[in-house]
């Protein structure tokens, strides 16, 4: 953001300069502004949009004639541009003027040039083809001696510049970083920031210069460099931890008012700069105690200084709070920050309130108790007249949803949902409700079946057509997969079926298509759970829907799938027959096919039943993915001269290459396909499953996506008919379902009861709010309450039904009562009247008890999981001093323990050198150790793979048993172990090695290999040590030994190329020394040297070649990489630069 | 990140627009109409930040002129709110007491915005 401010401020001197240099063309200015003024006035005077359009079209046709007339002077052109800009701003196409804008920027004098550049930046966008015409002008202006021209060129570069042309201007801009004028330096930094945004790897090599910019004596330059740092730190904070001190110092200076007064805004020193710095600190200090400690002081100072009552200080405070809660926590600061949030939330100023809510939403994830402090304010905001405030509050509540408050929160969300019209809000909110309910299928908070289904119905009917497709899918999966308890699941399904049938009974209601799809799937799968409605009735309803014109054809496919599933269960099938008749003549091919399928299936009822078994949607099906049973058929067809199968993408590529007359594309496309054609070459007529396997892949995908429809359930277990069992179970358990009303209703009832029997000291409204508060913030209380209620039902049912909990908890009424009291008194900050609550509690005992017992269950499990982490924390704190003593020990007694280990290492190295000597290998690096063992690792760069060797040396005098090394599976690597990775015994003071072959699966730049070793000491406990090793792409680069001729061939066939000039030091300038560096450090193979040019080749294991052509000009090395892999050249270039600069 | 910067009068006529991300011309007009509609519907008791589609609008009203900034959700709303005012102050300084009800001459204002 502040880069705009930056730019704005930067513009001032430039403008003044310009006005001076242009002198006083007042007359010209007046005439051109008056013509524009005339146009503007003309438009403002008009009343209708239609008239405006007419006027502007007129204006545009005039302009079109003027700009293309040869007699038009540049001065007139400038005036035309201004009017064109205005017309385009109003939304009328002025593309005929684009080329003239570029011309003006090329040819005009200062002011004309400026208008030209301005027009270009407003008209064009980054990928516009005309922009290429501007590159030369920019290069020329960058080299100009006129500061204003340089400024303009830098500005346009930081606004729009084609990505491919960056190398053309990069060296020029880099030079500008050393310019004597700060405005130029600043603009150069901003231009580089732009490059960093659009092509980060092109500016990788100038990171060191950014540091210089950060330390620039001019504040503006420093501030500009912060944008780059913010971005880089966001991507990888660990690489810039060493700069924390600098950022802290800068912020200290800014906060302390050390900056020139020009940077003050309403006597606050450089507020936007402060905000940027705070953000950077937040990123750096995240999860890093040591770094965070550096910034505590300055954060405290910022919080203290920003007490002035001005909006911009609130903005700084907000950022401060954000940072305090992002970094490693410090209680003192948290307290201050919390106070700050309190001030915001309670402020009568609406903007501040919004800011407070936003801060609270962020903070609440770390510290839920803060919500309790402000619960009454939150409740007020929930009914705030401003919908934006309301929405922000809902966002906050969404973050604190738990099993106890879900009904209330979801109800509030639904209320808002019903009011809102805007599609985006609906999508967002529906997503959140569904997220709370369904998406976390592992543990949904929903309290009971009826509520769950009803809420989902509401969600589907409001947001059905716009919601994310995951939502219905996840909902159906939840229904199908069910939870631990089978009877619960059956009831949930039954309830869903019942509620859908009721919904479908309602006449003249249109449900969203997605909702209908969900309904049809559920009805098709679970109608068998019904006992009174026979399948015929369900079929009738489905039929009615099928005949409905408002139903989309996609939904109809779902419906007919449901019908197909129900058909074998139905006794009479008039409807099905009618339906078949209806749709076998349908114009919709898809429907017609379904109808025919159904028709044929019905002829064999036994087959149909085994094909569509009841309640088997979750069973795994066995599919012959290779379709090997078709092999005979395929072979026969091929022998009769049929063309072999080609996968879809190949067919398309071939088609494309045939159609192409003139190839405008880079050659990459056609060459990359050569891999496929190679495989399909006529020699390979071993076609069978291998080829048909290709087609099976797509087939498999289809089955996956269609799984929910249940059509493809081909093979299931036979003989299992849960029909009767389910029915009897349902009869007894179906009854309580409708009786269970939603908690909210109960709460409402208690409110009315209270009102009747109590002498009211507070208004009813107030109480409702408090009640609402208590139901919203339940479950966020302190943990002491839970520990009291130690005995908790640990069986985790996802749908904890009230009745059940009641049974288990009825014995604990009294104790729980006490606890609820203490809970309330602790959480309600004296705003509540005790007697009121005691009464309420007695009345609500039943309901509340349930909630609290649930609460205890939930929190119990939470506290269980939290305990270890607490221990960890204390461990961490303890570990630092203990580490210290460790260090001391080593310092004091270095001779004894280290000597043997050194000896070990050397012996180890020598023992392995036999094997390693033939390959290059890295040094031995210790990866982890404890008092008994020490582990080191090194890499051997074998020709065909990377061999990782971990050597474990047993330092103790004892035997270690069943030592085992395991490497965690990594995304990028394939790891195969060499024999002997599990050793029964490691003798005392000996060394064992483990070897692993590592192969790369897909290209990456940096990756980690983690794993652990465990062993047993003296048959007692087993010890586990974790370690990780960093691997870079370089580890997989090998020389590629090819001839010059082959090099030439390959060179032409690769499409991805990268060119770059690298400056090298004197010593590197000689071709031979540069070659040597590349050969040694990057393992490139020197193919040939011709004069001052060199050809090198390497390959990325297993077999991605990359070629390098380079040429030496004085101290500049022109590197040119080509490869079949798109990312490889970039990466190698980066490595080359590093190597060249490093040596 | 700022996505766009708009100055629109109460009649819905755009006085200045600058997009920092490319938007098609016809989509711009639609967007601007929607933006000004949602700004006009707000009262002074309501907050100056609007959640609009997948981004946020921050607006300030000066007489009959609205200045609206569209940002993504990583932005500090209050900082932008004050930035608008800063911008206006700078304009005021440069054009020496601009009457905001009259229009700006387009290129000079752009000079600020663009640089």
């Amino acid at each position: 953001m502040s880069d705009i401010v930056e730019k704005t401020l930067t513009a001032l001197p430039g403008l003044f300069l310009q006005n001076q240099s242009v002198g006083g063309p007042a007359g010209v200015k007046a005439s051109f502004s008056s013509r524009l003024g005339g146009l503007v006035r003309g438009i403002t005077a008009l009343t209708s949009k239609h008239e405006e359009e007419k006027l502007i079209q007129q204006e545009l046709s005039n302009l079109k004639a003027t700009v293309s007339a040869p007699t038009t002077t540049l001065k007139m052109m400038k005036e035309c541009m201004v009017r064109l800009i205005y017309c385009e701003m109003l939304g009328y196409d002025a593309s005929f003027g684009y080329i003239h804008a570029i011309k003006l920027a090329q040819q005009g004098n200062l002011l004309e040039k400026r208008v030209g550049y301005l027009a270009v930046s407003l008209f064009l966008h980054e990928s516009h083809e005309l922009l290429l015409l501007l590159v030369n002008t920019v290069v020329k202006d960058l080299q100009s001696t006129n500061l204003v021209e340089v400024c303009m060129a830098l500005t346009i570069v930081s606004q729009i510049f084609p990505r491919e042309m960056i190398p053309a201007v990069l060296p020029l801009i880099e030079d500008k970083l050393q310019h004597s004028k700060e405005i130029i330096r600043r603009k150069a930094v901003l231009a580089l920031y732009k490059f960093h945004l659009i092509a980060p790897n092109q500016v990788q090599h100038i990171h060191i210069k950014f540091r210089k910019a950060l330390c620039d004596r001019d504040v503006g330059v420093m501030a500009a460099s912060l944008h780059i740092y913010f971005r880089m730190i966001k991507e990888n904070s660990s690489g810039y931890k060493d700069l924390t001190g600098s950022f802290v110092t800068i912020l200290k200076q800014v906060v302390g008012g050390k900056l020139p007064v020009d940077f003050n805004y309403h006597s606050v020193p450089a507020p936007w700069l402060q905000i940027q710095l705070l953000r950077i600190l937040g990123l750096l200090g995240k999860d890093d105690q040591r770094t965070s400690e550096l910034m505590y002081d300055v954060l405290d100072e910022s919080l203290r200084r920003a007490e002035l009552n001005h909006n911009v200080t609130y903005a700084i405070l907000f950022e401060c709070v954000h940072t305090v809660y992002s970094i490693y926590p410090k209680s003192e600061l948290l307290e201050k920050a919390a106070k700050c949030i309190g001030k915001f939330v309670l402020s009568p100023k609406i903007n501040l309130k919004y800011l407070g809510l936003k801060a609270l939403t962020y903070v609440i994830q770390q510290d839920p108790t803060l919500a309790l402090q402000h619960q009454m304010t939150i409740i007020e905001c929930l009914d705030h007249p401003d919908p934006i405030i309301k929405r922000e509050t809902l966002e906050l509540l969404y973050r604190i949803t738990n099993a106890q408050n879900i009904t209330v929160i979801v109800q509030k969300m639904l209320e808002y949902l019903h009011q809102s019209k805007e599609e985006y809000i609906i999508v967002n909110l529906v997503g959140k409700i569904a997220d709370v309910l369904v998406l976390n299928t592992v543990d949904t908070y929903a309290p009971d079946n009826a509520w769950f289904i009803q809420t989902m119905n509401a969600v589907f009917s409001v947001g059905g057509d716009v919601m994310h497709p995951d939502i219905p899918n996840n909902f159906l999966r939840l229904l199908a997969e069910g939870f631990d308890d089978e009877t619960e699941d059956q009831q949930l399904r039954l309830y869903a079926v019942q509620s859908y049938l009721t919904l479908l009974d309602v006449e003249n209601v249109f449900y969203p298509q997605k909702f209908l799809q969900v309904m049809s799937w559920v009805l098709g799968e679970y109608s068998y759970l019904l006992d009174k409605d026979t399948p015929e009735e369900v079929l009738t309803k489905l039929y009615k829907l099928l005949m409905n014109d408002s139903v989309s054809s996609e939904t109809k496919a779902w419906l007919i799938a449901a019908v197909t599933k129900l058909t074998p269960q139905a006794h009479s099938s008039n409807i099905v027959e009618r339906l078949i008749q209806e749709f076998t003549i349908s114009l919709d091919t898809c429907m017609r096919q379904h109808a025919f399928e159904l028709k044929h299936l019905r002829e064999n009822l036994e087959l149909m039943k085994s094909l569509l078994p009841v309640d088997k949607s979750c069973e795994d099906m066995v599919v012959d993915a290779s379709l090997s049973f078709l092999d005979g058929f395929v072979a026969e067809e091929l022998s009769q001269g049929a063309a072999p199968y080609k996968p879809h993408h190949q067919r398309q590529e071939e088609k494309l290459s045939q159609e192409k007359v003139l190839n405008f594309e880079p050659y990459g496309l056609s060459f990359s396909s050569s891999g496929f054609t190679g495989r399909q070459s006529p020699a390979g007529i071993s076609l069978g499953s291998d080829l048909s396997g290709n087609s099976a892949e797509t087939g498999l995908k289809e089955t996956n996506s269609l799984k929910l429809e249940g059509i493809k359930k081909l093979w299931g277990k036979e003989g299992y008919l849960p029909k009767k069992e389910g029915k009897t179970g349902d009869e007894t358990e179906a009854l309580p379902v409708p009786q269970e009303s939603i908690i909210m209703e109960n709460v409402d009832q208690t409110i009315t009861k209270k009102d009747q029997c109590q002498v009211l000291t507070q208004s009813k409204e107030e109480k409702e709010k408090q009640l609402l508060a208590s139901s919203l913030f339940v479950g966020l209380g302190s943990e002491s309450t839970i520990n009291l209620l130690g005995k908790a039902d640990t069986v985790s049912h996802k749908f904890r039904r009230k009745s059940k909990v009641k049974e288990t908890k009825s014995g604990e009424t009294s104790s729980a009562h006490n606890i609820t009291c203490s809970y309330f008194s602790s959480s309600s900050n004296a705003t509540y009247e005790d007697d009121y609550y005691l009464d309420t509690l007695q009345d609500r005992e039943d309901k509340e008890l349930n909630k609290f017992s649930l609460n205890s269950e939930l929190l119990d499990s939470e506290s269980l999981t939290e305990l270890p982490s607490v221990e960890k924390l204390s461990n961490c704190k303890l570990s630092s001093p203990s580490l210290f003593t460790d260090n001391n020990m080593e310092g004091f007694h270095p001779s004894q323990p280290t000597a043997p280990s050194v000896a070990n290492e050397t012996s180890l190295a020598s023992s392995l050198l036999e094997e390693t000597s033939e390959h290059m290998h890295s040094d031995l690096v210790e990866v982890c150790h404890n008092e008994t063992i020490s582990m080191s690792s090194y890499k051997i760069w074998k020709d065909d793979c990377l061999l990782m060797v971990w050597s474990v040396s047993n330092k103790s005098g004892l035997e270690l048993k069943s030592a085992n090394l395991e490497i965690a599976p990594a995304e990028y690597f394939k790891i195969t172990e060499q024999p002997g990775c599990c050793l029964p015994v490691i003798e005392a003071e000996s060394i064992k090695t483990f070897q692993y072959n590592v192969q790369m699966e897909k290209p990456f730049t940096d990756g980690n290999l983690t794993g652990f070793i465990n062993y047993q000491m003296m048959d007692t406990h087993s010890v586990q040590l974790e370690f990780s090793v960093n691997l870079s792409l370089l580890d997989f680069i090998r020389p590629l030994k090819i001839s010059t001729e082959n090099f030439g061939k390959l060179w032409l066939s690769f499409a991805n190329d990268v060119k770059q000039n690298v400056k090298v030091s004197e010593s590197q300038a000689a071709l031979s020394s540069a070659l040597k560096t590349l050969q040694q450090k990057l393992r490139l193979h020197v193919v040939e040297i011709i004069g001052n040019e060199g050809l090198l080749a390497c390959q990325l294991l297993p077999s991605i070649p990359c070629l390098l052509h380079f040429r030496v000009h004085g101290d500049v090395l022109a590197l040119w990489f080509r490869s079949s892999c798109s990312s490889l050249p970039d990466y190698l270039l980066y490595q080359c630069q590093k190597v060249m600069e490093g040596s | 990140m700022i996505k766009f910067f708009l100055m629109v009068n109460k009649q819905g006529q755009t006085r200045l627009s600058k997009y920092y991300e490319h938007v098609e011309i016809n989509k711009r007009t639609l967007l601007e109409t929607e933006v000004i509609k949602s700004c006009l519907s707000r009262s002074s008791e309501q907050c100056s930040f609007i959640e609009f589609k997948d981004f946020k609008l921050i607006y300030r009203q000066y007489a009959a002129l609205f200045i609206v900034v569209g940002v993504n959700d990583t932005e500090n709303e209050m900082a932008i709110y004050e930035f608008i005012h800063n911008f206006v102050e700078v304009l005021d300084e440069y054009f020496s007491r601009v009457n905001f009800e009259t229009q700006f001459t387009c290129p000079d204002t752009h000079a600020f915005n663009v640089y």
Side-chain angles (χ1 to χ4, degrees), chain A residues 115-133:
Chain A
V115 173
Y117 270 132
L118 174 67
V120 168
S121 79
L122 289 169
F123 287 153
L124 304 184
H125 56 88
E126 235 131 51
S127 41
H128 201 288
E129 50 198 358
L130 282 180
L131 212 53
L132 288 174
L133 297 177

Coordinates of all heavy atoms in Angstrom, one line a residue, chain A residues 115-133:
Chain A
V115 N 3.1 12.6 -21.1 CA 1.7 12.2 -21.4 C 1.6 10.9 -22.2 O 0.8 10.1 -21.9 CB 1.0 13.4 -22.2 CG1 -0.4 12.9 -22.6 CG2 0.9 14.6 -21.3
G116 N 2.6 10.7 -23.1 CA 2.6 9.4 -23.8 C 2.8 8.3 -22.9 O 2.0 7.3 -22.9
Y117 N 3.8 8.4 -22.0 CA 4.0 7.3 -21.0 C 2.8 7.0 -20.2 O 2.4 5.9 -19.9 CB 5.2 7.6 -20.1 CG 6.5 7.2 -20.6 CD1 7.6 8.0 -20.6 CD2 6.7 5.8 -21.1 CE1 8.9 7.6 -21.1 CE2 7.9 5.4 -21.5 CZ 9.0 6.3 -21.5 OH 10.2 5.8 -22.0
L118 N 2.2 8.2 -19.7 CA 1.0 8.1 -18.9 C -0.1 7.3 -19.6 O -0.8 6.4 -19.1 CB 0.5 9.5 -18.5 CG -0.8 9.6 -17.7 CD1 -0.6 9.0 -16.4 CD2 -1.3 11.0 -17.6
A119 N -0.3 7.7 -20.9 CA -1.4 7.1 -21.6 C -1.1 5.6 -21.8 O -2.0 4.7 -21.7 CB -1.5 7.7 -23.0
V120 N 0.1 5.3 -22.1 CA 0.5 3.8 -22.3 C 0.2 3.1 -21.0 O -0.4 2.0 -21.0 CB 2.0 3.7 -22.6 CG1 2.5 2.3 -22.5 CG2 2.3 4.2 -24.0
S121 N 0.6 3.6 -19.8 CA 0.4 2.9 -18.6 C -1.1 2.7 -18.3 O -1.5 1.8 -17.6 CB 1.1 3.6 -17.4 OG 0.3 4.7 -17.0
L122 N -1.9 3.6 -18.8 CA -3.3 3.5 -18.5 C -4.0 2.6 -19.5 O -5.0 1.9 -19.2 CB -4.0 4.9 -18.5 CG -3.7 5.7 -17.3 CD1 -4.2 7.2 -17.5 CD2 -4.3 5.2 -16.0
F123 N -3.6 2.6 -20.8 CA -4.2 1.9 -21.8 C -3.8 0.4 -21.8 O -4.7 -0.4 -22.0 CB -3.8 2.5 -23.2 CG -4.5 3.8 -23.5 CD1 -3.8 4.7 -24.4 CD2 -5.7 4.1 -23.0 CE1 -4.4 5.9 -24.7 CE2 -6.3 5.3 -23.3 CZ -5.6 6.2 -24.1
L124 N -2.6 0.2 -21.7 CA -2.1 -1.2 -21.9 C -2.0 -2.0 -20.6 O -2.0 -1.5 -19.5 CB -0.7 -1.2 -22.6 CG -0.7 -0.4 -23.9 CD1 0.7 -0.5 -24.5 CD2 -1.7 -0.8 -24.9
H125 N -1.9 -3.3 -20.8 CA -1.6 -4.2 -19.6 C -0.4 -5.0 -20.0 O 0.1 -5.0 -21.1 CB -2.8 -5.0 -19.3 CG -3.2 -5.9 -20.5 ND1 -2.7 -7.1 -20.7 CD2 -4.1 -5.6 -21.4 CE1 -3.3 -7.6 -21.8 NE2 -4.1 -6.7 -22.2
E126 N 0.1 -5.7 -18.9 CA 1.4 -6.4 -19.0 C 1.6 -7.3 -20.2 O 2.7 -7.3 -20.8 CB 1.6 -7.2 -17.8 CG 2.9 -6.9 -17.0 CD 2.6 -6.7 -15.6 OE1 2.0 -7.5 -15.0 OE2 3.0 -5.6 -15.0
S127 N 0.6 -8.0 -20.6 CA 0.8 -8.9 -21.7 C 0.3 -8.4 -23.1 O 0.1 -9.1 -24.0 CB 0.1 -10.2 -21.4 OG -1.2 -10.0 -20.8
H128 N 0.1 -7.1 -23.1 CA -0.3 -6.5 -24.4 C 0.8 -6.5 -25.4 O 2.0 -6.2 -25.0 CB -0.8 -5.0 -24.1 CG -1.7 -4.5 -25.2 ND1 -1.2 -4.2 -26.5 CD2 -3.0 -4.3 -25.2 CE1 -2.2 -3.8 -27.2 NE2 -3.3 -3.9 -26.5
E129 N 0.5 -6.9 -26.6 CA 1.6 -7.1 -27.6 C 2.3 -5.8 -28.0 O 3.5 -5.7 -28.3 CB 1.1 -7.8 -28.8 CG -0.1 -7.2 -29.4 CD -0.9 -8.2 -30.3 OE1 -0.3 -9.3 -30.5 OE2 -1.9 -7.8 -30.8
L130 N 1.5 -4.7 -27.9 CA 2.1 -3.4 -28.3 C 3.2 -2.9 -27.4 O 4.1 -2.1 -27.8 CB 1.0 -2.3 -28.4 CG 0.1 -2.3 -29.6 CD1 -0.9 -1.2 -29.5 CD2 0.9 -2.2 -30.9
L131 N 3.2 -3.5 -26.2 CA 4.2 -3.1 -25.2 C 5.6 -3.3 -25.6 O 6.5 -2.6 -25.2 CB 3.9 -3.8 -23.9 CG 4.2 -3.0 -22.6 CD1 3.5 -1.7 -22.6 CD2 3.7 -3.8 -21.4
L132 N 5.8 -4.3 -26.5 CA 7.1 -4.6 -27.0 C 7.8 -3.4 -27.7 O 9.0 -3.2 -27.7 CB 7.1 -5.8 -27.9 CG 6.8 -7.2 -27.2 CD1 6.7 -8.3 -28.2 CD2 8.0 -7.5 -26.2
L133 N 6.9 -2.6 -28.3 CA 7.4 -1.5 -29.1 C 8.0 -0.4 -28.2 O 8.6 0.5 -28.6 CB 6.2 -0.9 -29.9 CG 5.6 -1.8 -30.9 CD1 4.5 -1.1 -31.6 CD2 6.7 -2.2 -32.0

